[in-house]
Amino acid sequence: MSSSTGMIAGAVLALALFLYAFWPEKHAAVQRQKTRLDFLEELKEQIYANLRDLNFEYQAGKYPQEDYVAQRAILEKEAADVLKEMDALSTRARA
């Protein structure tokens, strides 16, 4: 086997591997569309994580009490609004 034949075989193999790896599938996995309720659930979890972080940083002495109280009130209001909308959507879905 000459070197040019080996190079051609290598190029064909590389092309075949490239096509195998990047060829689009006819039946690609279809991701379920997120609903408003899914979005709100993710937002709620993020707000709760922010509240946990805020509490931790306040206890570590990184926030003055006035800033902590103000920021906590904002986050609690956001959480209440999200929970209210989630409840309304759930009630509407059951009806």
Side-chain angles (χ1 to χ4, degrees), residues 30-94:
V30 178
Q31 184 177 8
R32 181 177 70 92
Q33 293 293 320
K34 286 188 179 180
T35 64
R36 178 71 179 162
L37 198 55
D38 294 333
F39 170 76
L40 291 171
E41 182 66 36
E42 290 176 6
L43 184 58
K44 178 188 80 166
E45 292 302 320
Q46 184 61 49
I47 293 170
Y48 285 176
N50 290 345
L51 277 167
R52 283 190 298 273
D53 291 344
L54 180 67
N55 285 330
F56 176 78
E57 290 179 5
Y58 173 70
Q59 291 173 357
K62 294 183 179 181
Y63 275 99
Q65 185 171 4
E66 306 83 38
D67 292 344
Y68 167 76
V69 170
Q71 187 65 32
R72 182 170 177 89
I74 291 169
L75 289 171
E76 286 175 345
K77 168 120 177 50
E78 287 179 16
D81 291 344
V82 167
L83 290 172
K84 182 179 177 181
E85 187 174 350
M86 288 175 71
D87 187 46
L89 287 173
S90 296
T91 302
R92 209 175 315 146
R94 278 185 256 135

Side-chain angles (χ1 to χ4, degrees), residues 4 22 26 60 64 90:
S4 64
F22 295 105
K26 290 182 182 178
S90 296

